[in-house]
Amino acid sequence: MADKTPKNRWLPKRIVLLRHGESSDNSGSGDGISPSHSTPLTRRGAEQARQAGTLIKNLLDQSCPSWKIYVYVSPFECTRSTLREMGRAFPASRLIGVREECRVREQDFGNFQDPQKMRQLKEVRDKFGRFFFRFPEGESGADVYDRVSKSMWRDIDMQRFPHDGGDEVNLMIVSHGLAIRIFLMRWFRWTVEEFERLKSPKDCEFRVMQLGEGGEYSLAVHHDEERLRAWGLSADMVAEQKLRAGSRSHHEEEESVDEEVLWYRTFFGAADGDDDTAETRGGEEEGLE
């Protein structure tokens, strides 16, 4: 899901990434016998979902009086239930459609998870790295990266979201903590090291990617710097989000970025025509002899 926003392409106003509410697995009350995809929300999780629905509806109401929304939802019971509870806040007339999207499902931890064994595996994962660690009979973060949905761009290209000039169309993805971080990583082309910094959204917490003045999506339009830093974004990552939120594309500014910010600069030699290198100086000294 790379960020690609060609000029003159119609784009939804914002993409809202919502983590599901508290499930019995999240609360620690899971038995390790029931499949994780069928784990229900707790009462607290259902209430969290209703509150999230109200917050998101208020956000959209304040932005435009004629907003619409299209929803992608993971096939897990906890995400479907989250959508059902939060959907109470949305008038049916505002809904364009809902698609169950398997590629934004939870990371696969294996068919059945013994609670004690899972605690041990997660301790190993934290030492090994969340992105590359693969659970036995399950997936790694890298595996999730490979399957994060591309269908949204096809839907945009094929104009599958009915709208007129007065509508403000929004997309929402109801998914899981790691899947949301992977989605953001892939969209903004963040490195593995930058991904490892990120904190998982809390139950029913959401991230808002909104179009900036230059036509690129940014987290910095709706969220302030303090919030972005609390989520684990580095100073450089926050600066990029602010650039995306502005009137100029971050691609236009890339040439002016301090070379120290671009970590890969140290992999290469000096630019063509740069005589101030150790090799050149050495040759000059030999010539003088």
Side-chain angles (χ1 to χ4, degrees), residues 127-139:
K127 294 178 181 178
F128 189 87
R130 289 175 176 266
F131 189 76
F132 291 114
F133 180 81
R134 177 176 285 108
F135 286 87
E137 302 179 352
E139 291 181 303

Side-chain angles (χ1 to χ4, degrees), residues 20 35-39 73-82 100 102 104-108 176:
H20 61 82
S36 58
H37 60 79
S38 63
T39 302
V73 60
S74 159
F76 278 44
E77 177 60 30
C78 62
T79 45
R80 290 164 58 96
S81 296
T82 296
E100 183 175 282
C102 292
V104 297
R105 68 186 186 276
E106 174 66 291
Q107 179 182 13
D108 188 351
H176 309 266

Side-chain angles (χ1 to χ4, degrees), residues 8 23 83 123 137 221 251 274:
N8 302 321
S23 68
L83 177 58
E123 288 177 3
E137 302 179 352
V221 176
H251 298 297
D274 187 351

Side-chain angles (χ1 to χ4, degrees), residues 57 98 164 186 222 262 276:
K57 179 181 181 295
V98 175
D164 58 38
R186 186 165 183 175
H222 181 73
L262 304 178
D276 189 23

Side-chain angles (χ1 to χ4, degrees), residues 207-261:
R207 314 283 194 251
V208 179
M209 299 166 52
Q210 185 166 321
L211 285 177
E213 295 177 14
E216 292 193 65
Y217 287 104
S218 170
L219 294 168
V221 176
H222 181 73
H223 306 292
D224 60 25
E225 179 174 348
E226 182 179 0
R227 181 61 60 87
L228 297 182
R229 296 297 292 270
W231 290 342
L233 276 71
S234 68
D236 294 339
M237 295 164 75
V238 171
E240 181 197 18
Q241 292 301 312
K242 289 182 176 180
L243 194 59
R244 287 172 174 272
S247 59
R248 296 184 63 184
S249 165
H250 79 287
H251 298 297
E252 297 175 21
E253 297 287 347
E254 190 173 36
E255 295 299 322
S256 65
V257 175
D258 190 324
E259 290 192 0
E260 292 183 0
V261 174

Side-chain angles (χ1 to χ4, degrees), residues 14 55-65 67 168 222:
R14 59 181 65 80
L55 289 174
I56 294 172
K57 179 181 181 295
N58 289 342
L59 164 65
L60 302 181
D61 284 340
Q62 293 170 10
S63 176
C64 178
W67 57 268
E168 181 180 272
H222 181 73

Side-chain angles (χ1 to χ4, degrees), residues 11 13 28 34 44 65-67 98 129 136 140 155 182-183 188 190 221 224 254:
L11 294 171
K13 177 71 172 182
S34 302
R44 182 167 182 263
S66 59
W67 57 268
V98 175
S140 67
D155 289 346
I182 291 289
F183 183 97
F188 294 121
W190 288 336
V221 176
D224 60 25
E254 190 173 36

